[in-house]
Amino acid sequence: MRVNRILLSTALVVVALVIQVSVLARLQLPGAVPDLMLLTVLGLAFVYGHLAGAFIGFGAGLLADLAPPADHALGRYALVLCVIGYLAGLARPQDGKLRSATGPMAVVVAAAIGSTLLYAGVGALVGDTAARHVGLGGLLFTAAVYDLLLAPFTVPFIMALARKTDHDPLAESQSGGDVASGWLASGTGLRIGSQRGGLRVKTARTRANRAGRIKGVKRL
C-alpha cells in the first residue's frame, strides 16, 4: 500500500474507533450497535480494492480488539473485518462511479449481516455464547438497519477522501458531492459539471452562428 493510503486509512480508522467507543456504544440502542468501523472499512475497500480492504479490515479489527472495553478474544473482530474488507473490495465499481444507491446499500446490508454472523460463529468456536442470550435474529435486524441508516452520511465522504488523497484522476473530474449524489439517489451517471460545460458550448456556438448571420446580412 502507498504511504498516503496507509496514513489516511489509519487516521480514519482511529477516528471511527473513538466515535464508536465514546458515542455510538453509549447510545444504548436496542439490539446491536451501529458499526462505524465496518462502514469505514467498506468505504476504503470500495476505492482501494480487495487486497487493501483485507489489510485495512484486519488492522481496524485488531485495533478494536485491543481497545477497551473489549471483552472478546484477541483477533476475533480482526478476522471478521478482514474477510468483510476483502469481499467488499471485490464488489467495488469498475469505473469508480456510483450511479445508483442500490448496489452499495446492498453491500452494506450484506456486510452488516455477514459480520454479525461471522462474529457470532467465531464466538461459538471459542466458547462465547453471548449472542444466544441476546437473540441472534434481533442482532441481525438491528445491525442491518443501523448501518444502513448511517452509511449515506459516512461512506460517500470516506470514498471522496480516499480518492483525493490517492491522486485518483477520477477525483479531479468529480467532487465529493458527485459521489454522494450517486450514493443517495439512483441516477444516469451524468454529472452536473459536465452538463454545465455542454450548455456553455452550445451557448457559444449559438452566439457565433448569430454573429455570422448578422455579418452576412450587412455585407448584402
Side-chain angles (χ1 to χ4, degrees):
M1 292 179 64
R2 300 175 182 176
V3 176
N4 53 352
R5 290 187 177 186
I6 296 176
L7 294 177
L8 177 65
S9 301
T10 303
L12 290 176
V13 167
V14 170
V15 172
L17 179 62
V18 172
I19 298 176
Q20 181 84 30
V21 174
S22 61
V23 179
L24 297 179
R26 298 184 180 183
L27 293 179
Q28 296 182 351
L29 297 173
V33 176
D35 199 341
L36 186 58
M37 295 283 287
L38 174 65
L39 297 178
T40 301
V41 172
L42 290 179
L44 294 173
F46 282 151
V47 178
Y48 295 152
H50 58 283
L51 292 179
F55 282 110
I56 294 171
F58 179 81
L62 187 60
L63 188 61
D65 289 334
L66 295 174
D71 56 352
H72 53 267
L74 181 63
R76 181 177 172 185
Y77 199 49
L79 174 62
V80 172
L81 288 187
C82 179
V83 174
I84 296 299
Y86 180 85
L87 296 178
L90 294 176
R92 70 170 178 167
Q94 295 296 329
D95 57 356
K97 297 180 181 179
L98 296 178
R99 294 184 176 87
S100 173
T102 305
M105 290 175 67
V107 174
V108 170
V109 174
I113 296 176
S115 62
T116 304
L117 288 174
L118 185 58
Y119 186 83
V122 175
L125 293 177
V126 297
D128 184 2
T129 59
R132 298 179 181 177
H133 302 288
V134 177
L136 185 58
L139 287 177
L140 293 175
F141 176 76
T142 53
V145 171
Y146 295 156
D147 292 348
L148 191 60
L149 293 176
L150 187 60
F153 304 100
T154 56
V155 178
F157 176 71
I158 293 172
M159 293 180 65
L161 283 179
R163 284 177 178 150
K164 289 181 179 180
T165 56
D166 201 37
H167 302 291
D168 190 346
L170 181 63
E172 298 178 359
S173 61
Q174 70 177 30
S175 61
D178 297 321
V179 177
S181 62
W183 175 280
L184 294 173
S186 58
T188 60
L190 299 177
R191 296 192 297 274
I192 296 176
S194 61
Q195 292 176 351
R196 290 178 179 175
L199 291 175
R200 290 177 181 175
V201 173
K202 291 181 180 179
T203 303
R205 290 179 179 176
T206 303
R207 291 179 179 176
N209 292 334
R210 289 180 180 178
R213 291 176 183 175
I214 293 174
K215 290 180 180 180
V217 172
K218 288 183 178 180
R219 290 178 180 177
L220 293 175

